[in-house]
Amino acid sequence: QLRIILPALIHLSALSTVLSVDWVTRHALTTQEYQTEHAQWEEQGLRLRCVAGYSDSAAGGDIRYAAVWDNTTLRPQRTSHGITKSTLGIQANANSADGFRLKFINMYAVGSEVRYAAIWEPSTTPEIHLEELSGIAFENAHQSLTGLGYQLISMGSCNVPNGESSQDLYSGVWSLADALGSANELRFRQSASQYQSAFDELAGEGYRLVCLAPCTVDGELRYNSLWKNPGGSSWWSYPDLDEANYRSE
């Protein structure tokens, strides 16, 4: 199990005992519970940092949400969850017209369909987002966009039923890179051993893990990871935790 303590994912400040907190995390939320939590923490000045939809086997396969809110930015946000690809496109166009760009994307399967959670924030930096790509198409798109000066800033993956097996699909957001900004690295569809090697290599070079999106390819668990350099404060990474161990950590 990966247990690196190196520069940076998110600085985890201790929760305050007063109403105003630095950060909060929730998981196993129903759609209504998630909406209630989001409204509550947004009212207290926190912003949604990340959200993941998933099928909870302990709840009969119903969709649940895990999310983190924090106070690292006071910038306004627009967020959505449970939306289709077409609705995501419509909202992205409307938000872009208002000066908001897509900064975070998560995808998850609801039966044989794909749903999305997304975060938009104010920005003038050009960005491109692509959804529901095959593995080969995603790799080709990433290579082409990187060559045009874009960098991947968020990605998601999920599996949808495909006959007796499943199809792994990928979505990503690429933003026009600042020549003086951070360097991002993608490691795609790696086995557990390959991911461990990449983890040791990139963490040792000062990169921080900013996105981990596992999926299944031909029945085998694969890891898609996005890394950023320079890093920041100390961080920990523990993949493949069950709920009890996650709660404990």
Side-chain angles (χ1 to χ4, degrees), residues 50-199:
C50 61
V51 54
Y54 60 96
S55 175
D56 188 352
S57 58
D62 290 344
I63 296 301
R64 295 291 185 263
Y65 292 93
V68 176
W69 295 264
D70 67 25
N71 63 0
T72 58
T73 176
L74 298 179
R75 293 161 65 85
Q77 286 185 328
R78 294 181 179 180
T79 66
S80 287
H81 63 282
I83 58 175
T84 63
K85 177 182 176 181
S86 61
T87 301
L88 176 69
I90 292 170
Q91 292 187 359
N93 289 335
N95 289 334
S96 179
D98 292 337
F100 286 74
R101 299 289 186 268
L102 187 60
K103 297 300 181 182
F104 174 89
I105 193 169
N106 170 256
M107 61 189 301
Y108 50 99
V110 179
S112 60
E113 300 180 347
V114 177
R115 293 291 185 269
Y116 293 89
I119 302 173
W120 289 266
E121 295 180 348
S123 175
T124 58
T125 303
E127 54 90 9
I128 295 172
H129 56 92
L130 300 171
E131 293 82 38
E132 296 179 35
L133 302 179
S134 68
I136 293 176
F138 186 89
E139 284 189 293
N140 290 340
H142 179 67
Q143 184 176 3
S144 297
L145 290 170
T146 299
L148 294 173
Y150 286 79
Q151 66 179 8
L152 185 65
I153 61 171
S154 181
M155 73 168 295
S157 63
C158 72
N159 287 78
V160 294
N162 182 20
E164 296 182 356
S165 59
S166 67
Q167 173 67 48
D168 51 305
L169 297 175
Y170 305 87
S171 298
V173 182
W174 291 263
S175 179
L176 190 62
D178 182 346
L180 300 178
S182 62
N184 287 8
E185 287 284 339
L186 171 67
R187 295 296 183 268
F188 192 63
R189 288 172 116 185
Q190 292 187 312
S191 66
S193 61
Q194 289 171 331
Y195 171 63
Q196 177 68 71
S197 296
F199 189 100

Side-chain angles (χ1 to χ4, degrees), residues 17 23 53 110 124 142 211 226:
T17 57
W23 62 271
V110 179
T124 58
H142 179 67
C211 177
L226 180 61

Side-chain angles (χ1 to χ4, degrees), residues 10-21:
I10 298 175
H11 180 69
L12 299 182
S13 301
L15 283 175
S16 171
T17 57
V18 296
L19 287 178
S20 179
V21 298

